[in-house]
Structures are given as C-alpha cells and as structure tokens.
Amino acid sequence: MSTQVNAQIEQLEAAIGSVLMGKPEAIRMAVVALLSDGHILIEDAPGVGKTVLGKAMARSLNCQFRRIQFTPDLLPSDILGSSVFLPNLGEFEFREGPIFTNILLADEINRTTPRTQSALLEAMSEHQVSIEGETRPLAAPFLVLATQNPLEYEGTYPLPENQLDRFMMSIEVGYPSREVERDILTMHRTGEPVNQLQATLTTEDIIALQAAVRDVRVDDSINDYLLDIVAATRTHDELELGVSTRGALIFYRAVQGMALAEGRNFAIPDDVKRLAEPVLAHRVICRGVMRQGRRERSQAVIRQIVNSTAVPQ
C-alpha cells in the first residue's frame, strides 16, 4: 500500500471531519462507500449532520455536486431531465436533470412517490440513464447520498426493498458529545463552515482509489466467513427475507474498501465484522415487525448472526 494512497484518504477524512466534528465512524463508512463505488443512505433524526456530511464530502472533492429536495410532487423528469422544444430551430433539445453529476444529495428521499424513487434505480446500478429511447452515461465517479428521517412517517413513502438494495450502506450520524457540540457552536459563529471547505482530492484521484480497492486481496477464508454470515440471514428464524447475491457482492466490495481505508492491501475478519451491520441490516426483512420497529430489530439480528458465526483463524 503506497504512502500516497494513505495520505489521500487521511486528507479526505480530515477535511470532512473539520466540519462534521466528533463523527469519525460515520465519516469512515461514507469514505469506504465512496472508495468502493457504492451509494449511502443516512437514516437519522433531523439536524444531526446528514446533509452536512453530503456537502462536506462533495466539497472535499473537486467534482460536480447537486442536491435535490425530494417532495411528494417531484416527477422523474425533475431528476433525469427532459427534452425541450426550441421554436427557433424547430427541434427538441435534451436538458439534463440534476442526476448528471458526480455526487447527488437526495435529501429526504422517502418524501417522494415510489414512481419518482424508481427513477434512481438504473443510475445507481448501471451508472447510466435510459430516457426517451436513448441511454446516456453518467460521469465517474457517481455517488448517491440519500437521507431520510426514520422517526417520522407522516407524508412519507417507505423505500421498497429493491431500492434499499442499491445502497451499499445505511448509516447513522447520531448526536455529538457535549464537548464537541460546544466546539460546533463556536465554529458556526461567523457562518456555515462547510461552505468554506476546500477540495483536497480530484475526481481523477477518486477514480484511481476506486481502482486500487479492486486490487485488495481477500483470502478464501474471508470469503467463506462473509458468505457464512450472508447464508445465516437466509435461514434465520426471525428473518423473512435474507441478503441477496447482489448484497453479498456489495458486502465483498465494501470489505475491500475498508481494508484500503485502513491502510492495508488485504482484508481481515474485522473488516467483515465492522461492515456487517451497515451493509446488511437494511437488506433483510424481519418477520411480523411493524414499520416502526423494523430498523432496530434488523440491526439486532445482524449483530446476533455476526456474534454466532465462527471467525476464521
């Protein structure tokens, strides 16, 4: 592992951490998803820094960034774009929607209809958009960072399983400690710090780091350990739906990304343990659980499976 790679990742995390204070684990998970070419769903209460994390990540990279506030009246064309007739030319011209960017912040994604949510599916899986009979590629890197409030259900549309499966991770930010919160108050005295954040990496740097992730070595014993956990979700008594093969592939890629972020070119069992909950919990469905309790119960079941799965020596 080159010292340049380590330095680049440290610079990126330090830049994000300068405005999202006291949250190194959330920052590390977001960076791992970025390195692994995945997408992030941030589920947490309002005002804890979900949007700040997205903005900070975008500003730390010299790349395009767009934000969409999801609302019930949002249409797929508001995301993807549409053709506009130009009378002076007598022809139609395609106007790109905000999805044509590097980092897309989908704020409160569960406040729009399933029809509009589904407009993101192809983009998140294939990094392309098919519209009006033409397939248009998206720029690289491409990352969707979506937020939602898991405690508020009025006027929301729960994300369907096939949409959730497109997100590499579902993470939380949480409340800061009192000492950190005091520093946050002081830091915001003269304005919003995230708006002053300077880029530390370029899009070319991120593409190179994403390529480096795929070179991380994962031994067969680690693969078997990962698959043992995935298989356990499919036979667990409390789960109605286990992790799909796509989920297993995403889990594998995230493990490679975590190893790189930790400064290694090989994966270890602790990478699998650390990622199991954020990568797998939103992909399973518990039996007979009401909507309000699904998230916490899924996380508990994944923790139970990890604790009961034999770790390779």
Side-chain angles (χ1 to χ4, degrees), residues 169-242:
M169 295 186 196
S170 175
I171 65 174
E172 304 169 10
V173 177
Y175 294 111
S177 66
R178 184 180 180 89
E179 292 72 19
V180 169
E181 204 157 23
R182 184 186 297 113
D183 293 337
I184 291 173
L185 294 179
T186 303
M187 188 172 63
H188 282 73
R189 183 168 49 206
T190 57
E192 183 59 57
V194 71
N195 294 332
Q196 310 302 321
L197 202 58
Q198 299 297 314
T200 59
L201 299 181
T202 65
T203 53
E204 290 77 16
D205 292 331
I206 292 300
I207 292 172
L209 289 172
Q210 289 177 341
V213 165
R214 297 173 184 269
D215 292 332
V216 170
R217 187 175 73 254
V218 184
D219 290 338
D220 288 342
S221 61
I222 304 296
N223 280 333
D224 288 334
Y225 180 45
L226 182 154
L227 291 174
D228 286 343
I229 294 173
V230 169
T233 67
R234 301 169 182 169
T235 58
H236 198 282
D237 292 339
E238 294 186 43
L239 296 181
E240 182 178 334
L241 179 70

Side-chain angles (χ1 to χ4, degrees), residues 48-296:
V48 295
K50 301 189 298 295
T51 303
V52 170
L53 176 56
K55 287 183 176 180
M57 180 176 290
R59 287 187 173 273
S60 298
L61 309 173
N62 187 20
C63 66
Q64 289 186 319
F65 167 71
R66 292 183 179 178
R67 176 182 181 272
I68 304 175
Q69 180 64 52
F70 280 69
T71 56
D73 60 348
L74 196 72
L75 298 176
S77 59
D78 295 327
I79 299 173
L80 305 178
S82 60
S83 291
V84 177
F85 183 71
L86 303 178
N88 58 323
L89 299 178
E91 60 185 33
F92 285 90
E93 179 182 81
F94 182 74
R95 300 287 175 85
E96 293 182 349
I99 201 168
F100 289 89
T101 187
N102 294 119
I103 295 184
L104 178 68
L105 176 58
D107 214 0
E108 296 185 293
I109 190 173
N110 58 331
R111 288 204 172 278
T112 197
T113 62
R115 177 190 176 197
T116 303
Q117 290 176 12
S118 65
L120 293 170
L121 290 176
E122 182 185 11
M124 294 174 69
S125 294
E126 309 294 337
H127 288 200
Q128 65 183 29
V129 171
S130 297
I131 185 170
E132 299 179 356
E134 185 176 348
T135 299
R136 303 174 188 270
L138 298 173
F142 175 68
L143 168 74
V144 174
L145 195 156
T147 72
Q148 68 173 357
N149 176 3
L151 306 175
E152 185 178 353
Y153 302 106
E154 188 70 28
T156 63
Y157 302 85
L159 296 179
E161 276 59 47
N162 63 341
Q163 182 85 57
L164 287 170
D165 207 35
R166 263 59 173 196
F167 288 100
M168 172 171 279
M169 295 186 196
S170 175
I171 65 174
E172 304 169 10
V173 177
Y175 294 111
S177 66
R178 184 180 180 89
E179 292 72 19
V180 169
E181 204 157 23
R182 184 186 297 113
D183 293 337
I184 291 173
L185 294 179
T186 303
M187 188 172 63
H188 282 73
R189 183 168 49 206
T190 57
E192 183 59 57
V194 71
N195 294 332
Q196 310 302 321
L197 202 58
Q198 299 297 314
T200 59
L201 299 181
T202 65
T203 53
E204 290 77 16
D205 292 331
I206 292 300
I207 292 172
L209 289 172
Q210 289 177 341
V213 165
R214 297 173 184 269
D215 292 332
V216 170
R217 187 175 73 254
V218 184
D219 290 338
D220 288 342
S221 61
I222 304 296
N223 280 333
D224 288 334
Y225 180 45
L226 182 154
L227 291 174
D228 286 343
I229 294 173
V230 169
T233 67
R234 301 169 182 169
T235 58
H236 198 282
D237 292 339
E238 294 186 43
L239 296 181
E240 182 178 334
L241 179 70
V243 176
S244 66
T245 301
R246 177 168 54 201
L249 287 168
I250 290 175
F251 194 11
Y252 173 86
R253 187 71 70 209
V255 167
Q256 289 182 299
M258 179 62 77
L260 188 76
E262 291 286 323
R264 290 180 271 104
N265 61 359
F266 58 91
I268 61 175
D270 282 348
D271 297 329
V272 178
K273 289 182 182 179
R274 189 172 175 185
L275 288 164
E277 189 176 326
V279 174
L280 303 182
H282 64 288
R283 303 178 191 279
V284 300
I285 298 179
C286 293
R287 297 183 186 276
V289 174
M290 297 293 290
R291 181 179 175 189
Q292 287 83 350
R294 168 184 163 175
R295 182 164 165 266
E296 292 76 13

